[in-house]
């Protein structure tokens, strides 16, 4: 990060500098374990800890200053604020405006992180670009992202997530994006917001902090985002789509293989063949959003298409694993919602495959009273796809099985344990098969994949 003074830190936090001293801040952290000489430590109060308990230890490690909402009995410099959590946000916002990069804000029900990564990949082809690490996209994570931006980064891509109304309003007014992307409106967090229309309203809060003439980039194939075509958002609207070809950009000839997704982008009457080394049509949508963001920075289409070919998934998002026994595992275990389930099922169905397509699905969490209905809906998606076998684990996943069975699909196995699912797959998958693992993060499906990737002797193998 670009170093700043204690006086600037107090100004950014909106606090009062006590025991003023000279010195430069070269790192901001809320984790006392990460403190090193030059650090500004912000004492956040969490559900199970109070960061103020570690202040003395931070001074001993070389912190030049701390931010506290308590008066401290110390001769060391500290910044007194009313609320350290808000102070973190204020400082992140101050730092963002001080560096003044071109900021792209990304939100949506699903696909925020993969879209953020795609936008970063494209923008990085033309300029030094910062980004949200992982999915640090809440009131703690986003300020930390802003404070991690380096001097010389002329652009940044920041992700904004939410569980409740008003949260994106707060985040966008910190990040002050120059352009906004809304990937889609689905059912994630419907337990808290009640309806998709309310989710749309919450996502549109991103416009509150958007620059005066900043454009909003929207998915025309999403039914609710498409309704905004006739709505004055007080910002230019740039639409992209596959089914809807009326916007600024559209894609055609989408082909999904076990290695990549090929497609053709059509922009201003010209065609640009493109490839993303990831599986699924949803990556085409991500690529189109990134393309339009890149055009805002003056990047040429050919440069952006080349950059897309170097895209990499992060974490446990659609990681492709080649099993020694000749079948393919798609590890998509980071999270799950009805919308992301639909994308993953569609990706599996569209893959070129010489063997069986197997969906190993688990519970989608945090759906509240909508859980039964939405799990059944996923089962119906499976029945309407090219999937050959459905395996499920988890109490809510029984409803996926029910939905599939009611829709006429009967090649279903509900597993009583993760061990049962792992054993069923490991013993019976053949070369050419593709297995998709998809469940909410709390289901820990990566444990099943780890078990499957443990060598199995020939004597242990059987038939499905």
């Amino acid at each position: 990060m670009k170093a700043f003074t204690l006086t600037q830190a107090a100004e950014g936090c909106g606090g009062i500098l006590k025991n003023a001293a000279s010195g430069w801040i070269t790192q901001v952290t809320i984790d006392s374990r990460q403190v090193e000489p030059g650090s500004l430590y912000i004492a956040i109060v969490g559900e199970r800890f109070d960061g103020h308990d570690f202040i003395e230890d931070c001074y001993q490690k070389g912190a030049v200053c701390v931010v506290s909402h308590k008066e401290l009995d110390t001769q060391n410099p500290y910044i007194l604020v009313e609320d350290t959590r808000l102070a973190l946000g204020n400082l992140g916002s101050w730092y963002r405006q001080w560096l003044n990069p071109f900021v792209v804000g990304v939100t949506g029900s699903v696909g925020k992180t993969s879209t953020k990564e795609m936008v970063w990949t494209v923008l990085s082809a033309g300029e030094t670009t910062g980004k949200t690490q992982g999915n640090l996209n809440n009131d703690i994570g986003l300020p930390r992202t802003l404070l991690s931006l380096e001097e010389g980064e002329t652009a940044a891509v920041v992700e904004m997530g939410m569980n409740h109304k008003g949260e994106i309003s707060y985040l966008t007014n910190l990040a002050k994006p120059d352009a906004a992307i809304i990937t889609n409106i689905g059912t994630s967090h419907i337990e808290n917001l009640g309806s998709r229309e309310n989710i749309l309203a919450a996502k549109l809060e991103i416009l509150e902090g958007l620059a005066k003439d900043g454009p909003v980039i929207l998915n025309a194939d999403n039914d609710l985002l498409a309704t905004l075509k006739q709505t004055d958002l007080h910002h230019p609207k740039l639409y992209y789509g596959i089914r809807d070809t009326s916007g600024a950009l559209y894609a055609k000839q989408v082909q999904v293989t076990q290695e990549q997704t090929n497609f053709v982008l059509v922009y201003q009457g010209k065609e640009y063949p493109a490839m993303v080394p990831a599986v699924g049509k949803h990556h085409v949508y991500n690529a189109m959003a990134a393309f339009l963001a890149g055009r805002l920075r003056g990047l040429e289409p050919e440069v952006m298409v080349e950059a897309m070919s170097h895209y990499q998934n992060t974490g446990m998002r659609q990681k492709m694993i080649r099993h020694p026994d000749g079948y393919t595992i798609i590890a998509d275990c980071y999270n799950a919602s009805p919308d992301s389930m639909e994308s993953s099922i569609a990706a599996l169905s569209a893959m070129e495959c010489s063997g069986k397509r197997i969906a190993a699905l688990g519970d989608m969490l945090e759906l509240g009273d909508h859980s039964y209905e939405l799990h059944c809906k996923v089962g119906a998606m499976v029945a309407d796809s090219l999937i050959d076998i459905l395996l499920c684990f988890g109490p809510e996943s029984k409803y996926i099985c029910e939905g599939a069975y009611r829709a006429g699909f009967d090649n279903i196995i509900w597993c009583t344990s993760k061990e049962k699912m792992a054993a069923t797959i490991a013993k019976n998958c053949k070369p050419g098969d593709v297995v998709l693992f998809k469940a909410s993060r709390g289901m820990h499906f990566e444990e099943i994949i780890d078990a499957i990737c443990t060598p199995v002797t020939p004597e242990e193998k059987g038939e499905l």
Side-chain angles (χ1 to χ4, degrees), residues 402-446:
E402 180 181 335
Y405 185 76
R406 279 155 119 199
F409 187 91
D410 58 5
N411 204 354
I412 302 167
I413 302 172
W414 184 78
C415 302
T416 55
S417 66
K418 294 177 187 175
E419 292 77 14
K420 176 67 174 177
M421 178 177 277
T424 302
I425 292 172
K427 291 180 180 179
N428 299 287
C429 277
K430 306 296 184 184
D433 292 349
V434 181
V435 188
L436 165 70
F437 286 89
K438 181 74 174 173
S440 281
R441 182 72 186 90
M443 297 301 293
H444 300 290
F445 261 37
E446 69 276 8

Side-chain angles (χ1 to χ4, degrees), residues 301-346:
E302 294 84 358
V303 171
M304 294 188 286
V305 165
E306 167 61 21
M308 291 170 190
S309 69
H310 302 289
Y311 168 80
Q312 291 184 341
N313 270 328
T314 61
M316 291 179 285
R317 293 175 171 87
Q318 286 200 331
K319 181 179 179 181
M320 306 294 289
I321 302 171
R322 300 300 180 192
H323 195 277
D325 287 347
Y327 59 90
T328 300
I329 293 171
I330 306 174
D332 198 1
C333 309
Y334 183 79
N335 218 332
S337 68
D339 308 290
S340 64
M341 281 282 195
E342 181 176 12
S343 294
S344 294
I345 290 167

Side-chain angles (χ1 to χ4, degrees), residues 89 92-94 96-97 103-107 137-143 146 158-162 164-182 201-212 214-216 235:
S93 184
W94 170 85
R96 174 263 180 271
Q97 294 178 70
V103 173
V104 179
V106 180
T107 193
N137 59 18
N138 61 8
D139 65 323
I140 294 292
L142 184 136
L146 297 176
V158 298
E159 184 179 332
M160 302 182 198
M162 64 92 190
H164 297 85
K165 186 177 184 295
E167 291 176 345
I168 290 181
S169 175
Y170 175 71
L171 299 178
T172 189
N173 279 295
L174 298 184
K176 301 290 184 186
D178 297 285
I181 296 171
I182 304 178
K203 297 298 183 182
L204 285 173
E205 291 173 6
I206 196 172
L207 304 182
E208 296 176 17
L210 186 59
K212 182 179 179 181
V216 55
H235 292 276

Side-chain angles (χ1 to χ4, degrees), residues 144-160:
R144 291 172 63 193
T145 292
L146 297 176
L147 289 163
S148 73
L149 298 178
E150 299 285 350
E151 186 175 11
E153 290 179 338
T154 55
V157 192
V158 298
E159 184 179 332
M160 302 182 198

Side-chain angles (χ1 to χ4, degrees), residues 210-364:
L210 186 59
K212 182 179 179 181
D213 296 319
V216 55
I217 299 170
L218 301 164
N219 183 346
D221 287 348
N222 182 263
D223 57 344
L224 288 184
L225 292 179
T227 64
L228 300 176
K229 288 183 177 182
Q230 309 306 319
T231 302
D232 184 4
L233 298 179
H234 306 291
H235 292 276
K237 289 173 284 190
L238 300 175
Y239 274 101
Y240 60 90
I242 298 176
R243 296 189 305 273
D244 188 321
T245 62
S246 65
L249 174 70
Y250 68 91
K252 64 180 185 178
Q253 298 175 21
V254 178
Q255 179 190 26
V256 182
T257 73
Q258 289 192 23
E259 302 286 346
Q260 62 193 45
T261 303
N262 303 305
F263 52 100
V264 175
L265 294 175
V266 183
Y267 178 72
Q268 293 184 343
K270 295 184 179 180
E271 296 185 357
Y272 301 93
M275 181 276 288
V276 173
V279 175
K281 186 170 68 174
H282 53 290
H283 292 294
V284 180
Y285 289 111
N286 299 347
M288 287 190 285
F291 184 102
L292 291 175
R295 288 301 297 148
L296 296 175
R297 300 299 284 166
L299 290 177
E300 293 300 324
E302 294 84 358
V303 171
M304 294 188 286
V305 165
E306 167 61 21
M308 291 170 190
S309 69
H310 302 289
Y311 168 80
Q312 291 184 341
N313 270 328
T314 61
M316 291 179 285
R317 293 175 171 87
Q318 286 200 331
K319 181 179 179 181
M320 306 294 289
I321 302 171
R322 300 300 180 192
H323 195 277
D325 287 347
Y327 59 90
T328 300
I329 293 171
I330 306 174
D332 198 1
C333 309
Y334 183 79
N335 218 332
S337 68
D339 308 290
S340 64
M341 281 282 195
E342 181 176 12
S343 294
S344 294
I345 290 167
L348 178 59
S349 295
M351 285 181 68
E352 295 178 352
C353 174
S354 61
K356 303 183 294 294
R357 295 180 178 89
I358 303 169
L361 308 182
D363 294 0
M364 300 178 291

